[in-house]
Amino acid sequence: MFKRSIGLAILIAVSLFVFITAAQTLSFESTNIQKTEKKPEPAQPEEIVKKTAPVVYGIPTDTLEIIEGTIERGENLSELLRDYNISPVTIDLLARKAKDVFNVRRINANHNYIILHAQDSAQTARYFIYEPSEVEYVVYDLNGDLDVRLVKREVLVVERAIAGFIESSLFESILAAGGTPQLVNHFADIYAWRLNLSRLQPGDMFKLIYEEKLVNGNTIGFGKIKAAYFEHEGKPLYAIAFEQDGQKTGYYDQDGKSLKKAFLREPLEFSRISSRFSKSRFHPVQKRYKPHLGTDFAAPRGTPIRTVGDGVVLEAAYTRGNGYFVKIKHNKTYTTQYLHMSKFARGIRKGSRVQQGQTIGYVGSTGLATGPHLCYRFWQNGRQVDALRVKLPSAHPIERKYKEAFAALKEEIEGRMVAIEVTGAQPKELLAADKQHATLNDEEV
Ligand SMILES: [Zn+2]
């Protein structure tokens, strides 16, 4: 019964969208701002200053005293309320009543609480309020029947926009425009496949439309980036968030192409290439020249191996040469294989479905191998090719049935991006300083 009314309270959460132009967030603009003289504030008339007791968590405190604190390690409710005339019997009863709303055992260290107690000599506690998170609080009502309720605060989702030019690094430029490291990382993730982020050029321009979550006026985090825009030497590359049936939200460029590739370039996150794809290589174990139709990555034993793309496991087996290996069919054109594993990842067997980036096994030296490494092989239309050189296809584009919806969204986003003004001059002296070109679109290295 109780839960239902809470459910209603949750439903009241409102989302409001506010659009803010980038004007005030641009870094170099600050030098042009005229300082306005602060006028002395007029003295407040006495009667307005007169204190009224605040309403705390919806509770008028006219007759109550407010104690604020933070739960310390190992501290529990009975300890907290012992000094406020609440008996262990009452605590026990309260704990039982609270079970279905917010179990008192879940009261944890480092969270804020408030005790509202009567202004009598016993200082009897009337309410205990605990904040499990920034977005909710629990009111333990110690009056009469002992009531417990969980209240969700309104989370305001505000849409924000920032823009700026790259000066030294993407990180500094986004921060200077009013973003946060979290936002930089998200932006970098979206563009990582199409943009060499270490080679951006001073003068490149970015624009971002994203959601920010607020509780009581305080930022508690970010929602998603709705759209981003990056311009290198006048060449624009949009990233528009769009959701297609049965897929995670993806980012698509202005042509409806996914910003992601269908395959990761490498199956190990951190590694060193120890032997490249070659038609003729001296085999270290067999001591003779033979083609090496794969790429070897040296890495410590046990390093997780990721499948480079979605697919189905064709084989997860052992042979004398390959050791433990996994072969994955991605589609009718592409197949990849991973050799010399120390072991397979949990659940990897013939017929298993795998998703890009999923761990399928661990680096080892089984089969013909001198030391722990991964031999990675890549087939295109039945032919073995160099995985480091092959032009990787884009991930799923916008499907035909979504073409119209995407076109409409794109038009809206384009209009809004144009409206985000990047005031201030492009840093010209920086433009000339470094002429290394960022790589856009498919010209990646
Ligand atoms: Zn190899």
Side-chain angles (χ1 to χ4, degrees):
M1 233 164 59
F2 216 18
K3 278 196 167 159
R4 207 155 293 162
S5 64
I6 292 155
L8 271 173
I10 299 164
L11 279 178
I12 302 170
V14 182
S15 293
L16 176 74
F17 294 92
V18 175
F19 193 83
I20 295 174
T21 63
Q24 73 250 49
T25 58
L26 205 80
S27 56
F28 11 88
E29 197 208 32
S30 56
T31 49
N32 303 331
I33 291 175
Q34 300 274 321
K35 272 200 180 146
T36 46
E37 294 268 314
K38 214 177 176 184
K39 277 189 197 142
E41 282 177 21
Q44 297 278 341
E46 280 292 314
E47 59 270 25
I48 294 179
V49 193
K50 205 178 81 184
K51 260 192 185 169
T52 50
V55 174
V56 175
Y57 298 90
I59 304 158
T61 57
D62 317 57
T63 61
L64 300 171
E65 207 69 50
I66 305 165
I67 306 291
E68 285 178 88
T70 303
I71 311 276
E72 278 169 37
R73 193 163 275 283
E75 214 168 16
N76 61 37
L77 198 57
S78 47
E79 280 166 359
L80 284 160
L81 295 176
R82 194 165 41 199
D83 296 342
Y84 298 95
N85 200 24
I86 303 295
S87 70
V89 179
T90 308
I91 296 284
D92 200 52
L93 221 84
L94 183 70
R96 255 180 283 160
K97 280 206 132 184
K99 230 167 199 171
D100 293 334
V101 184
F102 191 91
N103 198 325
V104 297
R105 287 168 187 274
R106 288 171 62 201
I107 292 176
N108 277 328
N110 302 323
H111 287 258
N112 294 334
Y113 69 86
I114 280 185
I115 294 169
L116 301 178
H117 69 76
Q119 292 166 339
D120 56 13
S121 57
Q123 301 197 326
T124 310
R126 297 289 184 210
Y127 299 92
F128 177 79
I129 299 138
Y130 171 74
E131 290 195 20
S133 74
E134 287 159 304
V135 294
E136 53 188 10
Y137 61 88
V138 190
V139 177
Y140 297 93
D141 187 338
L142 305 163
N143 299 287
D145 284 348
L146 303 175
D147 193 19
V148 185
R149 58 184 188 275
L150 179 74
V151 185
K152 297 258 183 188
R153 289 191 166 115
E154 273 184 23
V155 177
L156 211 61
V157 179
V158 183
E159 208 162 280
R160 298 212 186 277
I162 57 170
F165 292 111
I166 300 294
E167 285 196 60
S168 52
S169 73
L170 180 71
F171 188 83
E172 285 169 36
S173 307
I174 290 185
L175 253 56
T180 67
Q182 194 190 353
L183 202 59
V184 178
N185 288 338
H186 194 177
F187 180 88
D189 279 347
I190 292 170
Y191 276 98
W193 300 74
R194 295 278 284 276
L195 211 56
N196 188 332
L197 295 170
S198 58
R199 287 212 239 157
L200 300 181
Q201 204 181 333
D204 284 352
M205 186 210 289
F206 65 88
K207 294 182 177 186
L208 274 172
I209 300 172
Y210 61 98
E211 288 174 349
E212 195 174 328
K213 294 180 192 162
L214 301 168
V215 168
N216 285 346
N218 299 318
T219 302
I220 60 155
F222 287 99
K224 58 180 182 184
I225 289 183
K226 294 195 78 178
Y229 173 89
F230 198 85
E231 194 178 298
H232 171 68
E233 291 188 332
K235 253 207 274 178
L237 181 57
Y238 277 85
I240 300 165
F242 192 77
E243 199 179 324
Q244 306 194 78
D245 235 7
Q247 291 178 31
K248 277 196 276 181
T249 301
Y251 288 89
Y252 301 87
D253 67 14
Q254 57 269 40
D255 301 320
K257 275 169 72 181
S258 172
L259 261 76
K260 270 191 179 179
K261 298 289 180 189
F263 302 110
L264 299 170
R265 185 57 82 186
E266 298 179 2
L268 298 179
E269 204 171 351
F270 304 104
S271 62
R272 172 177 63 82
I273 293 162
S274 51
S275 176
R276 287 180 181 275
F277 186 93
S278 153
K279 292 270 148 65
S280 172
R281 169 187 82 145
F282 188 74
H283 196 283
V285 178
Q286 294 173 322
K287 309 286 184 210
R288 62 187 169 91
Y289 284 92
K290 57 183 280 192
H292 180 233
L293 302 180
T295 307
D296 289 346
F297 295 93
R301 187 189 151 85
T303 304
I305 299 166
R306 315 175 287 184
T307 168
V308 294
D310 298 352
V312 176
V313 175
L314 275 184
E315 287 177 274
Y318 180 89
T319 64
R320 241 167 57 86
N322 293 350
Y324 289 106
F325 72 98
V326 173
K327 193 167 187 176
I328 293 169
K329 184 181 172 141
H330 300 289
N331 52 42
K332 57 185 193 301
T333 311
Y334 298 98
T335 301
T336 55
Q337 195 185 28
Y338 312 79
L339 315 184
H340 312 306
M341 291 178 170
S342 56
K343 61 173 185 177
F344 302 135
R346 189 183 263 256
I348 297 300
R349 62 181 79 87
K350 190 174 172 173
S352 313
R353 293 210 145 267
V354 290
Q355 283 197 319
Q356 186 177 68
Q358 185 181 334
T359 300
I360 51 168
Y362 301 89
V363 169
S365 51
T366 56
L368 280 183
T370 46
H373 77 284
L374 166 70
C375 184
Y376 169 51
R377 304 185 163 194
F378 198 102
W379 281 264
Q380 185 177 25
N381 293 315
R383 249 188 64 229
Q384 279 189 273
V385 295
D386 186 345
L388 298 183
R389 295 228 173 118
V390 70
K391 196 176 162 192
L392 298 176
S394 290
H396 309 288
I398 296 288
E399 288 167 32
R400 185 172 299 169
K401 63 174 171 177
Y402 294 114
K403 283 259 155 79
E404 259 177 61
F406 181 77
L409 176 66
K410 184 188 118 179
E411 204 183 297
E412 183 209 321
I413 294 291
E414 281 174 339
R416 292 178 57 186
M417 284 295 183
V418 170
I420 303 170
E421 269 181 74
V422 189
T423 50
Q426 207 157 343
K428 284 219 175 60
E429 67 283 6
L430 286 167
L431 262 177
D434 182 1
K435 270 289 172 193
Q436 260 197 329
H437 290 200
T439 47
L440 274 179
N441 299 316
D442 289 321
E443 307 150 23
E444 66 166 354
V445 204

